[in-house]
Amino acid sequence: MTTLALPRRWRLPGWGVCLLVALAAELIYFTLTTRHFADGGTGMLALTEQFVPIGLLALGLAMVILTGNIDLSVAANASLASVFAGTALEHGYGTLIAVLLAIAVGTAVGLFNGLVIAVLGIDSLLVTLATQFIVTSIETSVAGYSPPYGFASSFLRLGQGAIADVPVALLVFLLLAVATIAVVDGTTFGRSITLIGYSRRAADYTGITTRRALCAVFTLSGALAGVAGVLLAAYYNSAQPETGSILLLPAITAVVLGGVDIFGGRGRIGEVVIAVFLLGFLSQGMLIEGDSSLAVTMVTGLLLIGALVLKVMFERNFRASWAARMRQLRSPLSHLGRPG
Amino acid sequence: MTTARDIQTVLPPEEDRRQSRAMIELLRRREVQVVAAMIVIVAVSTAFHPYFWASANFGYILADSMVIALLALGETFVMLGRGIDLSVGSVMGLSAIIVGFQIQNHNMTLLPAVLLGAVIGVVLGLGNALLVAVVRLPPIIATLGTLGVYSGLEFVVTNGNQVDTIPNSMTNLGSNQVLPGIPEIFVYTLPLVLIAALVLRHTVFGRSIYAVGDDAEAAYKAGIGVQRVLFMTYLIAGLLAGLAGVVFLIYTSGASSTTGVNDNLSAIAAALIGGTALTGGRGGAFGALVGSVFLTVTLTAMSFAHMPDVWQPAGVGALVLLAVLFDRRARDASVARRSKRRRWRR
């Protein structure tokens, strides 16, 4: 028998299965303890409307993190899109125009990020930190003192409506999730962004135009943030200039919880989707139980740390032997792959 | 042929060149560039609004920038070690709230308040330090997590109340001026910056932070306790953020459950503007001070120019972009650096 000296496939054995089990346990727990949680199944579905925007942000962010970069501006970008959609509706434009405008604005911000990062070669953390500030200013300025509210019912249906008890927002999310999985797992582009995250230099030598791919990834992330903005505005029936900073932490948490390596190159979008539901139902269940939203933030933070600690332990135990684990523990800085 | 004459004819140009090189070197320093830009902004603003030059306004600007200066100073330590701390603002807020309640309800005096703030900061910084240097999580994720935890704690601690009565004996520190334009609080904060600069430049510990930030593997092979150094940087960032909380109380005479939410990123921005690189190993303590004063001067100038307040975040963002654009080393080497990062991981 020939033994190839290839390293074993790195992926955590059954990380997705672990997430599914946790999700099931959580749903059962909340159904038993909280009366209004399940509501014959439909209540549970209706709850998803609340965290679908986070899921959309997580999809875009997951692709960005797969390339080894990060996009801190997604949440602010979604707010900006919601403000533009609201303003367009307020000025009497139709639903379609408002939706397209919001997605266009999100895409434009993403494209700006991508261009600055790819062409000027500046670290994505810095660029998106800056654009986050700038976008925040633009959105509060456009929204003005009284953000637009009270939209037409055809627009609201996107965030609040349901087709056969399944919320439209959930359908949109699932559709885009399937599309993202198809792109990342099934296309040359998807494989190339994973390779960029695994090794930028290898990607360069392979003949991938890494700059173009990076630019495209940030643009896609922006477009998804635009869709999230539409759903936000439609769900709350008002533009959401203040929501921006709140959605970033849960979105990043969902991506990390979904097993995507923060340094890029490893991760599955499908597991991110499961993590979105896990995190979303957890926060909604806690809110229904009467915890404050800041307690939820706290739990989200703890979950983020806990998931990572667990993953690091998984990772270290993977090659089994105790001596190997100790060697790994003593090796320098395996975790400091990139600044921050 | 006297050699002495030769030397004399040769020496002056040599000396001259050395001087001009020193001059160029000085002009290349980020702190000097930022101060120059600051002078331009002050001059232009004064030309349009004579009040900008008033000592009261300068005192206000300096006092206003002290909180961010302390946060940015802590952030500088972390960033020099090639880390990032997203939670400093929340540590500051939590310290301000806890100390504020002690002052408000239990008549705590200044010295115990400062000590309490420092202890709170160190304890919260310890959380980050443990996660990054012992459990070894990536700093951005670990501190994002603690950001959530600490800002949640802020809400739990306040329990719906807020700090609003700080005795005048303390708030006067923020408004009294020892010299025209120099508030008392600045005099107390400056030594911290000087100590930090001394530690960074002239101690083995300070130099090893630079070494770790520049190339962790080389530092490890040179016998530096990499994790211990990193541990200390997060602890120091916590300590300074705890002290910043007390300064915040003195300056604003109040604190609420959302104190410090926006300061996390402003602190990073100030450190970046002051020339500390996110990629580690470059920057310094004075950069943090200069960067945060520059940030406040610019924002004040913006409001003097009748820009609405909502554009202030955009000003910060634009400054961050400019600061990075002017830093050629932060850009060109990015691809090479990325491959170096890769090497450690495998």
Side-chain angles (χ1 to χ4, degrees), chain B residues 59-346:
Chain B
Y60 166 80
I61 288 175
L62 276 183
D64 194 22
S65 55
M66 279 310 104
V67 174
I68 298 291
L70 282 180
L71 293 181
L73 194 58
E75 197 71 58
T76 299
F77 275 88
V78 174
M79 279 163 60
L80 284 177
R82 195 185 246 206
I84 192 166
D85 190 345
L86 294 173
S87 72
V88 280
S90 299
V91 173
M92 185 272 273
L94 206 48
S95 150
I97 290 164
I98 297 174
V99 174
F101 277 126
Q102 290 300 318
I103 295 173
Q104 183 173 292
N105 303 337
H106 304 286
N107 298 320
M108 192 181 246
T109 49
L110 186 61
L111 196 61
V114 170
L115 285 178
L116 180 63
V119 170
I120 294 166
V122 168
V123 169
L124 297 179
L126 186 68
N128 287 330
L130 285 174
L131 286 175
V132 173
V134 179
V135 187
R136 308 204 184 174
L137 301 184
I140 187 167
I141 295 302
T143 55
L144 194 68
T146 52
L147 164 68
V149 175
Y150 294 161
S151 53
L153 269 182
E154 271 188 67
F155 190 76
V156 173
V157 170
T158 49
N159 200 13
N161 302 314
Q162 57 178 3
V163 180
D164 42 23
T165 43
I166 300 296
N168 282 342
S169 59
M170 285 190 197
T171 53
N172 282 345
L173 289 176
S175 50
N176 278 354
Q177 299 195 351
V178 282
L179 291 168
I182 309 279
E184 215 171 331
I185 191 77
F186 180 76
V187 179
Y188 291 120
T189 322
L190 194 60
L192 284 175
V193 179
L194 293 176
I195 292 170
L198 274 179
V199 167
L200 283 177
R201 276 195 197 165
H202 299 293
T203 65
V204 175
F205 168 64
R207 297 321 301 173
S208 52
I209 297 179
Y210 281 89
V212 169
D214 199 43
D215 190 338
E217 193 172 318
Y220 177 77
K221 286 178 176 159
I224 294 172
V226 171
Q227 303 298 343
R228 202 176 311 139
V229 169
L230 288 179
F231 190 91
M232 287 307 292
T233 60
Y234 285 91
L235 218 53
I236 291 171
L239 168 72
L240 289 169
L243 292 175
V246 182
V247 174
F248 182 87
L249 275 180
I250 290 171
Y251 170 65
T252 61
S253 71
S256 71
S257 60
T258 54
T259 294
V261 174
N262 299 321
D263 292 334
N264 293 308
L265 300 178
S266 304
I268 297 173
L272 283 172
I273 292 167
T276 302
L278 209 54
T279 41
R282 273 191 305 125
F286 290 115
L289 180 68
V290 172
S292 43
V293 173
F294 179 72
L295 202 60
T296 321
V297 166
T298 315
L299 295 184
T300 315
M302 276 173 69
S303 56
F304 265 78
H306 300 296
M307 294 265 271
D309 278 355
V310 295
W311 289 104
Q312 295 215 339
V316 178
L319 286 179
V320 169
L321 273 187
L322 280 178
V324 183
L325 277 179
F326 275 106
D327 189 354
R328 211 180 309 128
R329 274 180 294 182
R331 298 203 277 133
D332 291 349
S334 69
V335 173
R337 198 176 297 120
R338 197 156 304 180
S339 62
K340 197 161 75 182
R341 279 179 216 150
R342 289 290 134 198
R343 211 179 54 219
W344 309 343
R345 285 182 48 223
R346 315 230 173 263

